Amino acid sequence: MPVLDQLGRPQRSLRLSVTDRCNLRCTYCMPEADYTWLPKQDILTFDETVRLVSRFMAAGVDRVRVTGGEPLIRQDLAVLVQMLAGLGLRDLALTTNGIHLPEQGSALRDAGIRRVTISLDTLQRDRFRALAGRDRLDAVLAGIDHARQLGFEQIKLNTVVIRDRNDDELVALCDYAESVGAELRFIEYMDVGGATQWDRTQVVPRHEILARLGDAFGGVEPVSDRDWAPADRYRLGTGLIVGVISSTTEPFCRTCDRTRLTADGMWYTCLYARDGIDLRSALRAGADDGELSGLIERVWAGRRDRAAEDRLALRESRRALAGADELRTNPHLEMHKRGG
Ligand code: SAM
Ligand code: SF4
Ligand code: SF4
């Protein structure tokens, strides 16, 4: 029997951050001028990572998503992916900004990545530069094109929707996704660590996204296949399927089966959690497999997290989770450290 947490949720999905470094500076994730990087000696080796993932699997996890920071910056990522694939996971997926897919995509596919999610917030070059801090739209589009040619089982595109920044591109992004055979998911702008410039007036709520899509595409119907996945899926009047992740205005904590492991082995049972569990220290202190599994199961059994629902209750007083000062003293709060 899988261990259930205090709200009756099993643990099934792990976001595995393999680096806190990134080659972009998205304003909703890394808007600051400077960052405190994880020390090299703290980064888990591939063997350590695989050992921890195997302990999560013993506790019920059967899906792993490799993320970061930008995961393709981690040297020899395909070697790690191959080692993870050897564990027999039900699903091994990747979230990336796509820039390095042309060089690494085929090795990653051969190593065992089946599904790829690529972030794409705009199709306009100037806007991309403003939103991502670098002039790399062409590189991202080339990455998407390359992923298509490689024939991954599934390609998804993630768009963070921000009012007055890119919310006039919903239709254009749907058309683009259709043209490349990818499923697009609109993500509400979240007040997570890293998003120090978050303001609730910039959030475009799910109902508004759907109303706009319905107007433009002649209707929108829910697709009733919601599992434990965070995205609700909809069929537009044209037949195109899109997802909406409404973590900010209609959170899905009661079905949340996912946790996050940082590149230095800190484990967070909630995206918003201020404290994590230091699995690296336990591992390096010589804990055996049973002790590591026992620790993971004990923590999961005590889990009560439902932070996005708690934050919803803040209403008008809701602000960014953390300011730049707090992030400097607790850099593990950063989204680019714990993985999106
Ligand atoms: N660098 C990779 C990428 O951008 O796809 C992987 C890591 S990134 C942290 C993972 C996802 O988190 C991205 O799709 C990104 O758009 C999303 N994300 C980061 N900050 C966010 C925020 N404040 N609100 C909503 N989504 C956010
Ligand atoms: Fe980098 Fe991804 Fe964060 Fe953008 S969202 S800064 S690509 S980690
Ligand atoms: Fe899960 Fe925490 Fe996000 Fe709720 S806020 S869905 S508990 S990670």
Side-chain angles (χ1 to χ4, degrees), residues 15 17 68 105 121 138 148-149 155 159 176 186-187 196 214 219 223 226 232 258 268 272 276 291 311:
R15 303 283 161 119
S17 176
D121 300 320
D138 286 350
R148 250 173 100 192
Q149 290 169 31
I155 301 177
T159 299
Y176 172 77
F186 292 114
I187 308 177
T196 50
V223 177
R226 180 142 182 191
D232 280 323
R258 67 198 55 220
Y268 292 89
Y272 290 91
E291 287 164 336
R311 293 191 67 72

Side-chain angles (χ1 to χ4, degrees), residues 28 67-70 95-97 119 158 160 188 190 192 195 335 340:
Y28 50 75
T67 180
E70 174 45 38
T95 301
T96 171
N97 62 33
S119 298
N158 269 359
V160 179
E188 289 180 351
M190 291 162 66
V192 289
M335 183 76 148

Side-chain angles (χ1 to χ4, degrees), residues 4 28 77 136 139 164 186 199-200 207 221 240 245 247-250 279 307 313 331:
L4 301 182
Y28 50 75
L77 181 66
R136 302 307 306 274
D164 298 335
F186 292 114
D199 182 295
R200 64 189 181 83
H207 66 81
E221 291 285 331
L240 186 71
I245 303 183
S247 333
T248 305
T249 68
E250 296 178 62
L279 295 180

